[in-house]
Amino acid sequence: AECTLCHTMPAKYVLGLNTMQLNKVHDYDGVKANQLHTFDHVGLFKKPPPTTPEEAPKLADYSDRSVPLEQRARSYLHSNCSHCHMKWGGGNAEFQLLATLELKETGTVNTPAGHGRFDVADGRILVPGDPDRSLIAHRMAKLGLGRMPHVGSLEIDTQGLELVRQWIKSLPKEQAE
């Protein structure tokens, strides 16, 4: 039953195997090629993809420091959180963490928490410039009750947490809602 908390119909049940996450160069034992090109080449698609990988959307590698911080953090949140935090995705909070949305469209900026503030003074889902008041970062840093993700993980992803904290800190405090 816990599996169905994240593996939902809006997330298309399988997490991770989607165009945006697969649209990247992979090292096939010394041969580097775009995964979508490779999948098409070896016949994994029943019909040709509607666009080329170059035209298709993709997520950034969150550990690639040559990519802008916002793109890496939004890609991280998309990959790890948006399958629940999307419309009808299983997370019952009223915000979305899809990288395909403009930040102001996610419903996160300066939004009061719907499920408790966890003793964070004036906590909000995301407070530009202030990761200590941002419940996204706070809940990523928790263990036990209130932790995100609340199933499927028993460790804090310190690299991902630091990335998200740096990104929140970099956001202009006057960021529009």
Side-chain angles (χ1 to χ4, degrees):
E2 280 185 348
C3 298
T4 61
L5 294 173
C6 297
H7 295 270
T8 63
M9 186 170 31
K12 297 186 172 84
Y13 300 109
V14 176
L15 309 180
L17 290 175
N18 64 57
T19 301
M20 290 180 69
Q21 290 180 331
L22 293 171
N23 190 6
K24 65 180 185 172
V25 172
H26 181 74
D27 186 342
Y28 296 94
D29 198 26
V31 176
K32 294 182 180 179
N34 180 284
Q35 288 185 114
L36 297 178
H37 277 304
T38 301
F39 287 6
D40 189 33
H41 177 76
V42 299
L44 291 180
F45 299 130
K46 288 182 181 179
K47 58 183 180 179
T51 62
T52 66
E54 295 78 20
E55 298 169 319
K58 64 181 175 180
L59 296 175
D61 175 349
Y62 79 94
S63 65
D64 183 351
R65 293 185 177 268
S66 70
V67 176
L69 178 61
E70 179 168 12
Q71 191 177 349
R72 291 186 294 129
R74 297 285 311 275
S75 292
Y76 177 90
L77 293 170
H78 183 105
S79 295
N80 292 285
C81 311
S82 74
H83 53 274
C84 284
H85 294 287
M86 69 167 60
K87 194 169 190 169
W88 302 305
N92 58 7
E94 294 291 322
F95 63 89
Q96 301 183 72
L97 291 173
L98 297 163
T100 54
L101 298 174
E102 293 292 324
L103 183 59
K104 64 184 175 187
E105 296 171 10
T106 63
T108 60
V109 179
N110 294 316
T111 302
H115 301 294
R117 293 202 173 117
F118 300 91
D119 295 323
V120 175
D122 198 27
R124 304 277 189 239
I125 304 299
L126 185 132
V127 182
D130 196 344
D132 293 328
R133 286 182 43 223
S134 298
L135 293 171
I136 287 175
H138 179 78
R139 293 187 76 178
M140 286 175 67
K142 273 182 80 50
L143 290 175
L145 193 61
R147 167 174 170 56
M148 284 291 150
H150 64 279
V151 296
S153 173
L154 299 175
E155 295 180 20
I156 295 169
D157 178 353
T158 55
Q159 186 179 4
L161 174 60
E162 184 56 30
L163 170 70
V164 169
R165 287 184 59 81
Q166 286 177 10
W167 168 63
I168 293 170
K169 190 172 186 176
S170 78
L171 293 171
K173 292 183 185 211
E174 63 278 351
Q175 179 88 31
E177 290 190 38

